[in-house]
Amino acid sequence: MDNQPKESRLNEFIENPKKALWKLSLPMMFGMSVQAIYLLVDTAFIGKWVGGTALAGLGYVFPYFFIIMGITFGLGSGVTTVIAQYIGAKDKKNADNAAEHTILLGLVIGFLIICFGFYYGEKLLVLQGADEATVILALDYFYILTGGSIFMVLSVFFRSILSGEGDMMFPMKVLGAGTVLNIILDPIFIHYYQIAGAAIATVISQALVTFVFIYALLFRQHSYVTFNLKDFTFSFAILKNIFRLGIPASLSMIIMSLGILLFNWILGTSDAVAAYQTAGRIEHLFFLPIISVATSLVTLVGMFNGAKRIDLVKLMIKYGLSRSVAISLSFSILFYFLSETLMPVFTNSTEIARLAVLYFKIMAFAYPFITIGMTSTRIMQGLGYAYPMFVLTLLRVVIISATLAWYFVMVLGKPVHYAWVGTLISCILTSGASLTWLRSIVKRSFKTALETG
């Protein structure tokens, strides 16, 4: 690191956009892979050492923290888009100002999460139908993670700032190091403090990651955007722009959280919830490359759109979609044929393992359609249209998936795995809608570029 100002990556990305996609995606993919390994190790330790009740407790806690992550990652994606568009338009002053607003926003959100979590935490767990023993274990994990949630929020926002300027390598190194530390601390703290130990290890690692970002960006100026908080001037227009692009993404992830809550309620038993949530953590391996490519497309499409290079936007749409679908097909094959081998690693319960295998046998067919929907909505966000993500997520998760799951399981009395059949149907339908919507927005953006160009 040095104190010299960094150069914008815009020209580099324009010269070779395909290479730029992988230059952005691969470091992020690697960093997220380390995080995914942590999630799997965490799940395995808790499932094997603490037991199935603790595993179910994680399942009941997860929707709440998915809401927190949804708000944070959603607004973070808005930050990424805003900064990328300002850099594409060569407006560094506003890019800097947007980054400064992001830090202020992170502090406010972190404080609100802590207050809400400590007041409503137990009510949220009971609302999902968790029994008393599960609630007691879950709260041990819940309150510690809530207390340290401000570090998670700030670390995500710092990463979003760097993503907006096209720097994926440094965040990957920092987050990867934090996750490795988490993996090291996990078995030690779980051994002494059971499920609470997993939360303690997570908070410690997230706090250290946040302090590294603060030191690097605010004191060593390791970024193209610069921070001068002493001369900070509040701009409602910049904050409004971040919210305009970020809130729909946040709402879409909150809807996904509500969908998980609904599924926990529909599935009914602790074994089914444990199977659903454990499979979801393993499934995270599939989402890593897809999220990495989709997030990188937000940066590239945002920059190219800001520079009025719609030809490059079209190129990245075709290239990004085709590569993402190819990756998803490989994961479909992997999970379909290897799920029976994977599950005994994470639980001693034959019933939890059986239900999780059924989940993978069904969802393997949904992954390519999930990929199309996720990538299309991220591209639309990069073009400045964030609401399609919200609308399509609402359609997929609540209107189609949860409704079909409720009808199959609670009305027709089918086995719980029919809930995931409903999810498969919803993914197929909404992928077609997302492609149609994307085509319409690209035509509109191309027309606007010609009129203003």
Side-chain angles (χ1 to χ4, degrees):
M1 283 186 290
D2 55 52
N3 292 311
Q4 297 301 316
K6 308 295 178 183
E7 294 295 326
S8 167
R9 294 173 173 80
L10 176 63
N11 292 333
E12 175 192 343
F13 292 164
I14 288 176
E15 288 175 6
N16 197 334
K18 292 181 180 180
K19 180 181 178 181
L21 178 64
W22 298 112
K23 188 173 183 179
L24 294 177
S25 299
L26 291 175
M28 187 189 306
M29 206 179 298
F30 178 80
M32 291 176 71
S33 296
V34 178
Q35 187 178 26
I37 292 169
Y38 153 68
L39 287 173
L40 295 178
V41 170
D42 193 31
T43 302
F45 277 128
I46 291 173
K48 291 281 191 177
W49 290 9
V50 188
T53 302
L55 211 54
L58 287 182
Y60 288 114
V61 169
F62 182 72
Y64 172 74
F65 282 99
F66 198 86
I67 290 174
I68 293 176
M69 289 187 288
I71 294 170
T72 306
F73 279 97
L75 291 174
S77 67
V79 169
T80 297
T81 305
V82 168
I83 291 177
Q85 289 181 344
Y86 279 136
I87 291 175
K90 299 184 179 179
D91 185 355
K92 186 178 185 298
K93 181 179 179 181
N94 274 325
D96 293 345
N97 205 1
E100 292 163 357
H101 278 76
T102 301
I103 295 175
L104 176 63
L105 188 60
L107 292 171
V108 172
I109 290 173
F111 175 75
L112 292 176
I113 288 170
I114 291 171
C115 294
F116 183 87
F118 276 96
Y119 189 78
Y120 290 105
E122 186 172 356
K123 297 180 179 68
L124 288 169
L125 299 180
V126 173
L127 185 66
Q128 297 176 70
D131 57 53
E132 185 178 352
T134 305
V135 169
I136 292 171
L137 277 176
L139 286 176
D140 287 343
Y141 184 84
F142 179 89
Y143 285 135
I144 295 170
L145 219 56
T146 297
S149 59
I150 192 167
F151 300 118
M152 185 271 287
V153 174
L154 288 174
S155 63
V156 169
F157 278 4
F158 278 122
R159 190 189 74 174
S160 299
I161 291 168
L162 292 168
S163 296
E165 66 174 57
D167 182 2
M168 303 296 189
M169 184 63 74
F170 181 67
M172 179 272 291
K173 291 178 181 178
V174 176
L175 293 169
T179 305
V180 169
L181 175 64
N182 205 339
I183 293 172
I184 294 170
L185 294 178
D186 234 2
I188 299 171
F189 281 99
I190 289 174
H191 176 74
Y192 287 104
Y193 302 105
Q194 301 293 292
I195 191 172
I200 295 170
T202 298
V203 170
I204 291 173
S205 62
Q206 288 179 343
L208 289 176
V209 164
T210 301
F211 292 139
V212 170
F213 276 131
I214 290 172
Y215 175 72
L217 272 65
L218 272 64
F219 294 98
R220 295 299 300 272
Q221 298 182 358
H222 183 92
S223 57
Y224 171 68
V225 297
T226 51
F227 299 83
N228 189 0
L229 299 180
K230 291 181 180 179
D231 297 328
F232 172 76
T233 302
F234 181 78
S235 170
F236 182 75
I238 287 178
L239 204 59
K240 181 181 177 181
N241 205 16
I242 291 173
F243 277 106
R244 180 180 67 84
L245 292 167
I247 283 180
S250 294
L251 289 175
S252 69
M253 296 188 76
I254 290 172
I255 287 169
M256 291 174 67
S257 305
L258 294 176
I260 295 171
L261 288 170
L262 286 172
F263 266 72
N264 283 350
W265 174 67
I266 291 167
L267 294 174
T269 67
S270 293
D271 280 350
V273 170
Y276 176 46
Q277 299 297 341
T278 304
R281 287 195 168 201
I282 299 171
E283 185 183 59
H284 189 61
L285 288 170
F286 152 68
F287 285 108
L288 294 179
I290 307 305
I291 291 172
S292 299
V293 172
T295 303
S296 300
L297 284 170
V298 174
T299 300
L300 292 174
V301 169
M303 282 189 179
F304 296 157
N305 187 48
K308 302 188 186 303
R309 290 295 305 269
I310 301 300
D311 58 322
L312 295 181
V313 171
K314 288 184 173 181
L315 172 66
M316 295 317 299
I317 290 172
K318 293 179 181 178
Y319 186 76
L321 273 171
S322 62
R323 270 50 182 185
S324 294
V325 170
I327 293 170
S328 71
L329 287 170
S330 66
F331 274 95
S332 293
I333 295 169
L334 173 71
F335 285 131
Y336 186 87
F337 289 105
L338 295 182
S339 56
E340 292 175 345
T341 304
L342 287 172
M343 286 313 303
V345 176
F346 298 94
T347 179
N348 294 321
S349 169
T350 54
E351 179 61 11
I352 293 174
R354 183 186 71 83
L355 291 172
V357 168
L358 282 172
Y359 176 90
F360 283 121
K361 295 292 187 183
I362 294 166
M363 290 302 296
F365 294 97
Y367 294 145
F369 299 102
I370 293 173
T371 299
I372 292 170
M374 182 184 297
T375 308
S376 298
T377 54
R378 288 294 187 179
I379 292 168
M380 287 186 267
Q381 186 181 22
L383 289 169
Y385 296 86
Y387 278 95
M389 183 186 299
F390 164 67
V391 174
L392 290 166
T393 303
L394 179 65
L395 179 66
R396 177 174 64 85
V397 175
V398 177
I399 297 176
I400 302 177
S401 182
T403 301
L404 287 176
W406 169 79
Y407 180 71
F408 289 152
V409 177
M410 305 197 74
V411 176
L412 298 182
K414 297 287 187 181
V416 292
H417 65 267
Y418 273 79
W420 304 315
V421 173
T423 301
L424 170 60
I425 294 171
S426 71
C427 293
I428 294 171
L429 294 176
T430 52
S431 66
S434 66
L435 284 176
T436 302
W437 205 336
L438 174 60
R439 190 177 295 112
S440 173
I441 284 177
V442 171
K443 287 182 180 179
R444 196 181 313 165
S445 299
F446 186 69
K447 181 180 179 182
T448 302
L450 288 176
E451 290 173 351
T452 59

